[in-house]
Amino acid sequence: MVNISTETPDETRTRLVRVIRESRLTVYDGAYFFDEFPLEAFPDRADPNALALVRDDAVWSQLVEHRGSIPNDRSVELLAHSRNV
């Protein structure tokens, strides 16, 4: 179940600044994209190497390394990282 926040904008900013301050940034070589698939496909499609895996009431979305061609789908987001950034 999702909790809807009743934070004020200032409380949200304070919380997010704290989270960012306590976070650690890891830069990975390569490119990553969000691969989405239906809930019932989870056993066959979930990648144990995914950097993140989340779901809503319709689909799973996993952040996985790009290998080969990227599906021609508007829901796919490509994230390219560079050590020069």
Side-chain angles (χ1 to χ4, degrees):
M1 179 173 201
V2 175
N3 275 339
I4 304 300
S5 176
T6 57
E7 293 177 323
T8 66
D10 284 340
E11 290 170 330
T12 300
R13 183 184 182 289
T14 299
R15 179 177 52 80
L16 293 176
V17 166
R18 186 187 79 247
V19 168
I20 291 168
R21 189 179 324 115
E22 295 173 3
S23 297
R24 179 178 45 142
L25 173 66
T26 302
V27 178
Y28 294 93
D29 288 329
Y32 294 80
F33 73 101
F34 286 101
D35 175 34
E36 291 189 343
F37 52 90
L39 298 179
E40 62 274 5
F42 182 83
D44 296 322
R45 294 279 304 273
D47 184 340
N49 296 312
L51 297 180
L53 192 94
V54 296
R55 65 163 273 190
D56 61 17
D57 61 340
V59 298
W60 280 98
S61 181
Q62 60 185 350
L63 181 58
V64 293
E65 187 171 6
H66 162 54
R67 295 184 183 113
S69 64
I70 296 175
N72 186 15
D73 184 299
R74 297 182 77 175
S75 67
V76 174
E77 180 178 348
L78 178 66
L79 302 174
H81 295 284
S82 169
R83 291 205 180 267
N84 298 327
V85 174

